[in-house]
Amino acid sequence: MKKLLIVLFAMLLMLTTACSDKKSSTDEKDNNKKEGPVTLKVVYKDEGPSNPVAKQYFESLSKALKEDENLDVTFELVEMPQGNYAEKLNLLLLSGDIPDMIYFQGGDLQISQQGLLEDLTPYIEKSKNIKNILEPHNKKRLENYPYLLWIKPLDSKVPVMRKDWFEKLSTSQALLDEPTVDNYYSFFKEMVSNPPGGAKKPTYALTAAGDIVEIDFIFKRAFGLSQTWLEKDGNYVYGKVSDNEKAKLEFYQKLYKDGLLDPQYLTKQWDTKEKAFYDGEAGVIVGTNGKIIDIYNGKMTQVNGEQSEVVVLPPAKGEDQGFTSTDITKESRGIAISSQSKHKDTVFAVLDYLASEKGQLLDRIGFEGEHYNVTDSGIELTDKYYAEWYARFWEPSEFKMEKPLNTPLLSEPAQKSRDLANQFYKEDNAFIIPEEYAANWDAMENLYKEYATDIITGKKPISEFDKFVAEWEKAGGKEITEYANKNIK
């Protein structure tokens, strides 16, 4: 009897194990199934349902995912109201309406601190494509802040102007040979006092979109503002309260007073800034190196003829030279996945597909027959590609296709802008402001903007800068400076 019980128990154990193995095998098979059909809600600046190109892009992406990856995905684009995108997006998210895929252009830190954004690290580690195209600065930013993904070349901005105007100015060669702050001033001065376009064009040398950040890309490092925190006598000092910043603002005040800086730069948006450039009101604007410069070049030649292709100007030279140092604390913009999404794996599968060869064909060069044509010898890009197309998602440095590109991805000015950005690359030493200092920090930054604007526009004399420094320290500057000196390595 005892032996019979042992035999029966053994048989029962074998049966249970077999059933368990079968269930495990079935579960594994189920887990490997593609999710679908799925509707992913997407919010992306300027890529809403009212944008016909955006609609065509995401419809094409949906079709490609079905054909290439057997992913049945439909995209629901969110229309964002006009105004400050970061502010409007935060209002949307804090209302509880959280899309699956979110493009941020600022304002993400507050959202991630509430646990509403997914940590992308494990997804990237398991990815087929994305992990292979990350740039070095992308990797460092993800290590510090794993919630935003933005696989693009260095995002340094560079100054450009019309080549035909540039060649008419007698100060141009001196600027190329020795782009000092003084030579830049002489160059701007001649541009306005003896307009190369005739009939008082340009009316001012330089414009910007809303603040001085773009202008800083030209001049900041020339004034010794090489990093956010400057080393002085063995300690770190915040650059915006330094004597270097005071000298920079004094120079900007001079540009404004002498009519060289657009008096409406504070109210300009990116589109009105660019219109002023194409219409000849502004001689120089600043744009992100690479594809944006390509678009500037294409639109400028469309409006004013082939002779008006853009020329890239060098960064100003002084105590240092280069475009603004690269912040590696986090991506300043990029794609996030909502931690509340029911389709996180599918969202990342879409992002990973866009990093594949077939995904890049759509994302990088657009729609066949419009932006490129396929011939027996390879792929030829059209004028429309150079004038308007840009990658909505990834732009890795290496671009591989089954067929070769017969025409370069970037025009000559755009490629030069990218080369200059790489040549003058310098890492910043900024850090993510701890949450306990965040409210004070925002107030301190607003204080800087207020004083900087009033000084540049002449509402306050440059001597008021010392008052600003004192107010900044009282507002929390002393504590954050102590924190910086303990934590910057």
Side-chain angles (χ1 to χ4, degrees):
M1 184 69 179
K2 187 175 181 181
K3 288 182 178 178
L4 180 60
L5 287 172
I6 292 172
V7 171
L8 289 171
F9 179 75
M11 291 176 66
L12 181 62
L13 184 62
M14 290 173 64
L15 182 63
T16 303
T17 303
C19 290
S20 177
D21 288 345
K22 185 177 181 181
K23 183 178 185 300
S24 176
S25 176
T26 303
D27 287 347
E28 185 176 348
K29 190 180 290 184
D30 287 342
N31 288 337
N32 287 332
K33 285 182 180 178
K34 298 291 186 183
E35 183 185 20
V38 173
T39 297
L40 296 180
K41 197 171 184 179
V42 178
V43 60
Y44 200 135
K45 184 177 185 287
D46 302 324
E47 306 293 339
S50 63
N51 181 342
V53 177
K55 286 182 66 177
Q56 185 179 356
Y57 176 90
F58 281 97
E59 287 170 1
S60 300
L61 177 57
S62 180
K63 183 180 178 182
L65 288 164
K66 182 74 172 177
E67 293 176 352
D68 300 333
E69 297 293 321
N70 195 28
L71 268 177
D72 191 354
V73 177
T74 302
F75 297 95
E76 178 188 339
L77 304 182
V78 177
E79 190 72 65
M80 292 296 289
Q82 294 295 314
N84 186 296
Y85 176 73
E87 291 178 3
K88 302 294 184 184
L89 177 59
N90 272 8
L91 288 174
L92 174 74
L93 301 179
L94 294 174
S95 73
D97 186 4
I98 306 177
D100 302 283
M101 184 191 298
I102 308 166
Y103 169 77
F104 282 97
Q105 193 169 313
D108 55 282
L109 190 59
Q110 176 187 2
I111 303 301
S112 67
Q113 287 172 344
Q114 295 184 39
L116 296 177
L117 302 183
E118 188 77 358
D119 183 340
L120 300 176
T121 305
Y123 296 88
I124 293 170
E125 289 174 351
K126 296 176 184 177
S127 66
K128 290 189 296 183
N129 305 301
I130 282 180
K131 65 185 177 184
N132 300 319
I133 66 168
L134 292 173
E135 304 285 352
H137 59 280
N138 296 140
K139 294 177 181 178
K140 290 183 178 180
R141 288 169 176 171
L142 282 165
E143 287 173 6
N144 294 324
Y145 187 82
Y147 307 106
L148 284 189
L149 187 60
W150 196 240
I151 307 170
K152 300 276 186 177
L154 294 173
D155 51 5
S156 293
K157 296 180 186 291
V158 302
V160 293
M161 74 172 294
R162 289 176 56 161
K163 186 177 181 180
D164 54 344
W165 288 8
F166 179 80
E167 290 176 342
K168 289 180 180 179
L169 297 173
S170 63
T171 50
S172 296
Q173 192 58 49
L175 181 71
L176 291 180
D177 293 342
E178 196 70 15
T180 62
V181 172
D182 288 341
N183 281 348
Y184 250 109
Y185 177 82
S186 298
F187 178 69
F188 286 167
K189 187 73 174 176
E190 183 190 4
M191 197 185 306
V192 173
S193 61
N194 187 24
K200 296 185 178 179
K201 285 193 173 183
T203 52
Y204 35 82
L206 178 66
T207 191
D211 55 36
I212 61 173
V213 173
E214 293 178 346
I215 306 171
D216 281 347
F217 274 94
I218 309 175
F219 297 108
K220 191 173 182 179
R221 283 175 63 179
F223 285 92
L225 295 159
S226 301
Q227 292 181 303
T228 296
W229 294 87
L230 307 179
E231 286 191 71
K232 184 177 180 181
D233 300 327
N235 292 306
Y236 285 103
V237 176
Y238 187 49
K240 288 181 179 177
V241 296
S242 66
D243 290 339
N244 308 68
E245 181 71 25
K246 184 177 182 179
K248 186 199 77 175
L249 291 179
E250 188 171 19
F251 174 67
Y252 290 177
Q253 185 186 63
K254 183 180 179 182
L255 293 180
Y256 187 92
K257 180 182 177 181
D258 292 354
L260 308 182
L261 174 60
D262 179 5
Q264 296 181 325
Y265 80 92
L266 286 168
T267 56
K268 282 280 198 293
Q269 301 293 322
W270 65 269
D271 54 342
T272 52
K273 174 195 82 170
E274 291 173 7
K275 185 178 186 302
F277 183 55
Y278 303 136
D279 291 348
E281 293 176 13
V284 174
I285 63 170
V286 175
T288 305
N289 79 89
K291 188 58 198 175
I292 297 300
I293 301 305
D294 225 352
I295 292 173
Y296 286 177
N297 187 59
K299 288 185 178 179
M300 180 61 83
T301 54
Q302 277 184 354
V303 173
N304 297 294
E306 291 298 322
Q307 76 283 354
S308 66
E309 69 174 358
V310 302
V311 59
V312 182
L313 305 179
K317 182 179 180 181
E319 292 186 40
D320 190 11
Q321 185 181 16
F323 306 111
T324 301
S325 299
T326 300
D327 186 352
I328 58 168
T329 56
K330 62 185 289 294
E331 298 291 353
S332 60
R333 64 178 67 192
I335 305 296
I337 299 177
S338 164
S339 63
Q340 311 304 302
S341 173
K342 297 178 181 179
H343 312 294
K344 293 190 278 284
D345 289 334
T346 302
V347 177
F348 191 82
V350 172
L351 300 180
D352 200 36
Y353 172 75
L354 286 161
S356 70
E357 191 170 291
K358 289 183 177 179
Q360 282 284 284
L361 183 65
L362 168 64
D363 198 35
R364 291 291 288 275
I365 61 177
F367 309 136
E368 186 176 357
E370 286 188 59
H371 303 105
Y372 70 94
N373 294 303
V374 180
T375 66
D376 292 337
S377 61
I379 297 172
E380 295 182 356
L381 304 176
T382 66
D383 291 341
K384 193 173 182 181
Y385 162 82
Y386 289 108
E388 70 176 34
W389 191 259
Y390 57 91
R392 268 68 180 171
F393 290 88
W394 316 139
E395 202 174 349
S397 55
E398 289 191 26
F399 180 65
K400 297 178 181 178
M401 290 287 105
E402 291 181 3
K403 287 196 170 188
L405 276 173
N406 292 339
T407 43
L409 277 174
L410 295 175
S411 63
E412 185 178 340
Q415 185 59 53
K416 182 176 181 181
S417 73
R418 181 154 293 173
D419 292 342
L420 281 175
N422 291 327
Q423 176 185 340
F424 289 106
Y425 173 72
K426 183 181 180 68
E427 287 186 4
D428 200 2
N429 60 1
F431 51 84
I432 295 176
I433 301 300
E435 194 170 356
E436 62 266 30
Y437 298 120
N440 281 356
W441 181 257
D442 288 343
M444 290 151 62
E445 287 296 276
N446 287 332
L447 185 68
Y448 165 78
K449 290 176 184 177
E450 177 187 334
Y451 268 87
T453 299
D454 286 348
I455 288 171
I456 292 169
T457 57
K459 293 179 181 177
K460 285 185 171 72
I462 191 64
S463 58
E464 287 285 294
F465 184 82
D466 298 333
K467 183 180 178 182
F468 153 68
V469 174
E471 288 188 31
W472 185 88
E473 289 179 349
K474 289 179 183 178
K478 183 178 180 182
E479 290 77 13
I480 197 67
T481 301
E482 290 175 356
Y483 179 90
N485 278 280
K486 289 178 182 176
N487 289 278
I488 294 178
K489 298 177 181 179

